[in-house]
Amino acid sequence: MLQQSGDASLLRRLNSAAILRLLRDAEVLTLSELARGARVSRPTVEAIVEELVSEGWAEECPDEPGDRPRGRPARRFRFRASAGHVVGVSIGHTSVQAMVADLNGAIVAVQAIPISPDVCAADRLAAVGDLVTAVTAQAGLAVHEVAAVGVGTTGVVDGDGRVVKSVVLSDWTGVPLQAELAARLPVPVVVVENDMRLAVIAEHWRGVAQGYDDVVYLYTGTRLGLGLLIGGVPYRGAHAASGEIGKMPTGTWAAFKEVTDYAMSVEPGELRSPMESARFAIERARQGDAEASDAVRAFGVGLGESLITIVNPLDPELVVIGGSLSPAGDLLVGPVKEVFDEICLYPPLVVASELGSESITLGAVRLALNHIDKALFS
């Protein structure tokens, strides 16, 4: 009898998870539609839905004026996305950003703070904790009300959320990031992942890579990074180092030479990083400067040639240019595509990201939601 009771309890939990998932995936469903979708009896559905409503996971929809049919209207229900919230955090080279989202992924609060790449690990961790507290307060929540925090960081991140190696941030190598933040934040769970893998997850979830399972994502910012999606799964690599380009032999990609030379020729006394030079040239090209246009085109060709050794053997469907240079759009997409069309056996589609520099934080939100989904629907 005890075993039978256990089986009944398990079946009830499975049915509850199935019904909750149906509500999550649809805007509104009636009891009859839930019964058909979950393949259980209507009385079972009714009992489970009442339980979900009492626990706050579902809510009954009010009748819409003018739409009421004759007779007793069918009761309609929907998933209550505000039943829980998650926080996504991106720890970058010069800033930290955080977003609060409900269980449907709707963003309800965003904050970012600048931070020096040279600050010590303790100060960076404190800044992350303070930012999470601030952004949750902006959303009208206390930190302990958050269901999960997802974190994206530059560097090689192992399965325990430890930064094994970082060539971008000082004093970051060896930091047990997941454990440190779990100790500082009163939340049930903290999950940590490499930022480039989160960026490509975000593009697959909410960006231009929706519907594509084999994707190469090029991040352009204060540094360059790569995210690889293979068969719909972010590729980690043998040492979880996928996405980290590391230091180039010349200090930066040769593709930046033309835009750097252009910026120096226009304003010789202005010292700019390679990425700042690229932004400067792109802005001038938008204004109609022919020399800037030539420099940006050469930059795009250089990016395409640099990506060939990745694109040719991987044979992706899509290449996404993301990060802070993604607003350049066709100024970069066109030259990169021309290189692929000339060299690749099967040239992939090339597009600019519409998520820009927020892709990592959105990916961290999705990381946290994935953890919650496992608890709700498994």
Side-chain angles (χ1 to χ4, degrees):
M1 292 299 293
L2 287 174
Q3 183 61 44
Q4 291 176 355
S5 175
D7 289 345
S9 176
L10 174 60
L11 183 60
R12 174 74 170 220
R13 292 198 302 272
L14 291 173
N15 286 337
S16 294
I19 290 168
L20 191 60
R21 180 174 284 281
L22 287 170
L23 288 171
R24 169 75 171 275
D25 293 342
E27 290 187 7
V28 176
L29 290 174
T30 65
L31 292 173
S32 297
E33 289 168 336
L34 286 168
R36 286 195 297 271
R39 299 182 180 181
V40 295
S41 69
R42 183 186 169 95
T44 297
V45 166
E46 193 162 3
I48 289 174
V49 168
E50 292 297 340
E51 187 177 274
L52 292 174
V53 170
S54 68
E55 292 175 351
W57 294 111
E59 59 187 358
E60 188 167 1
C61 303
D63 294 328
E64 297 180 3
D67 291 342
R68 180 175 296 181
R70 291 174 179 249
R72 184 179 178 182
R75 299 174 67 191
R76 302 175 305 145
F77 297 87
R78 64 190 171 203
F79 178 71
R80 187 168 171 266
S82 61
H85 292 82
V86 301
V87 175
V89 179
S90 63
I91 303 173
H93 185 239
T94 58
S95 67
V96 180
Q97 186 183 59
M99 294 178 177
V100 180
D102 67 18
L103 296 183
N104 276 341
I107 306 302
V108 298
V110 182
Q111 284 195 32
I113 56 171
I115 190 168
S116 169
D118 297 322
V119 302
C120 66
D123 288 347
R124 185 175 291 110
L125 289 166
V128 172
D130 291 344
L131 182 60
V132 170
T133 300
V135 77
T136 50
Q138 180 186 338
L141 302 167
V143 178
H144 71 267
E145 296 178 284
V146 171
V149 175
V151 181
T153 180
T154 176
V156 178
V157 179
D158 67 14
D160 295 322
R162 183 172 67 96
V163 182
V164 178
K165 184 179 294 185
S166 174
V167 298
V168 175
L169 298 178
S170 62
D171 198 26
W172 207 230
T173 296
V175 172
L177 184 56
Q178 188 165 297
E180 286 281 355
L181 292 179
R184 291 167 182 263
L185 300 173
V187 297
V189 64
V190 175
V191 281
V192 176
E193 181 56 283
N194 170 265
D195 53 2
M196 292 300 98
R197 288 194 283 275
L198 293 186
V200 77
I201 285 173
E203 293 292 347
H204 194 240
W205 176 41
R206 289 274 175 88
V208 293
Q210 294 179 72
Y212 296 91
D213 286 340
D214 294 281
V215 179
V216 170
Y217 172 89
L218 173 66
Y219 180 82
T220 60
T222 53
R223 63 189 176 92
L224 293 174
L226 287 170
L228 305 177
L229 193 74
I230 300 177
V233 178
Y235 180 67
R236 293 181 59 82
H239 304 91
S242 172
E244 290 297 299
I245 293 177
K247 293 182 179 179
M248 303 300 290
T250 59
T252 185
W253 279 19
F256 284 95
K257 182 179 186 305
E258 296 293 336
V259 289
T260 301
D261 289 349
Y262 168 79
M264 286 292 293
S265 69
V266 175
E267 295 181 354
E270 189 73 25
L271 293 178
R272 292 185 174 89
S273 69
M275 196 59 62
E276 290 170 339
S277 296
R279 282 195 287 263
F280 176 74
I282 288 167
E283 182 180 348
R284 297 281 293 235
R286 289 286 189 209
Q287 296 170 359
D289 186 317
E291 289 187 19
S293 296
D294 290 342
V296 172
R297 175 178 171 75
F299 175 56
V301 168
L303 287 178
E305 291 173 346
S306 299
L307 287 170
I308 279 294
T309 54
I310 297 165
V311 170
N312 256 342
L314 286 183
D315 184 30
E317 305 165 271
L318 183 73
V319 170
V320 179
I321 298 175
S324 61
L325 296 187
S326 57
D330 284 344
L331 288 179
L332 292 181
V333 167
V336 172
K337 188 176 184 304
E338 287 178 17
V339 172
F340 291 167
D341 287 343
E342 179 182 353
I343 298 175
C344 296
L345 184 60
Y346 295 99
L349 180 66
V350 184
V351 295
S353 169
E354 297 175 357
L355 302 180
S357 57
E358 293 191 337
S359 60
I360 297 168
T361 319
L362 281 170
V365 167
R366 184 66 261 176
L367 180 69
L369 286 173
N370 287 346
H371 183 88
I372 299 304
D373 285 356
K374 289 179 182 178
L376 285 178
F377 305 128
S378 63

